[in-house]
Amino acid sequence: MDFEYADAVNQAIRLLSLRHRARAAALLAPLGLHPGQEALLLELSRTGPMIQAQLSEALGCEPPSVTLMTRKLEASGHIRRKSAPSDKRASIVELTESGEALVEQVKQLWCALAEETVTGLPAETAAELPGILKTLTGNVDTRRSRRHSV
């Protein structure tokens, strides 16, 4: 691969990532959320209560980041944490009624952001995009590299 093509690919991905995160932040702010918190809420909505370490793995975040997010969301009343019966050092995280209501707003926002993001793409390309992006993510997943090198 030549540098010009590599640069074009890498710059496009970098700019998309930065601008998508900034746009998400602008849309989340009126809900009192910061980027990343919506992913935590959506994950709990999909899976139900889970141990904080599992949540960290599911989100692809470091445990301290999840701890910070859960503290903020707990303080705002959207989630609650309780000790896991099998391990008192572990915390189970679950949505509250307030969190469940917020998830519905986040889902609407998430749909609007996705629609905005794929505007102008042919329908076939938009349909293939999740698979393409998942492949790209897997290609650069540092967690995968660490697991295979151990």
Side-chain angles (χ1 to χ4, degrees):
M1 175 180 305
D2 71 359
F3 175 77
E4 297 298 323
Y5 178 76
D7 189 46
V9 168
N10 290 322
Q11 288 293 345
I13 291 170
R14 185 182 73 78
L15 289 173
L16 173 60
S17 176
L18 290 170
R19 292 189 179 145
H20 188 271
R21 184 173 174 87
R23 184 65 180 130
L27 293 171
L28 291 166
L31 300 180
L33 295 174
H34 297 283
Q37 292 176 331
E38 84 290 353
L40 188 149
L41 293 169
L42 290 168
E43 186 65 27
L44 290 174
S45 178
R46 274 190 289 275
T47 63
M50 49 189 332
I51 293 174
Q52 209 163 296
Q54 294 169 324
L55 193 52
S56 174
E57 180 67 25
L59 295 174
C61 293
E62 294 298 320
S65 297
V66 172
T67 299
L68 183 61
M69 283 192 283
T70 56
R71 283 185 185 149
K72 288 180 178 180
L73 290 168
E74 185 177 39
S76 59
H78 301 307
I79 63 164
R80 74 179 133 259
R81 293 184 298 169
K82 57 185 178 186
S83 294
S86 59
D87 181 355
K88 297 297 179 200
R89 297 170 297 166
S91 293
I92 296 176
V93 182
E94 62 186 0
L95 290 172
T96 61
E97 285 185 32
S98 167
E100 289 172 7
L102 186 57
V103 163
E104 293 310 311
Q105 292 178 287
V106 168
K107 285 180 180 179
Q108 291 174 5
L109 178 150
W110 224 222
C111 288
L113 179 58
E115 287 177 20
E116 186 178 318
T117 303
V118 301
T119 294
L121 290 178
E124 310 79 48
T125 304
E128 292 173 5
L129 202 52
I132 292 167
L133 294 172
K134 186 175 181 178
T135 298
L136 295 177
T137 300
N139 290 345
V140 296
D141 188 348
T142 59
R143 294 173 306 151
R144 179 188 67 179
S145 300
R146 273 188 256 142
R147 275 187 249 136
H148 288 135
S149 65
V150 178

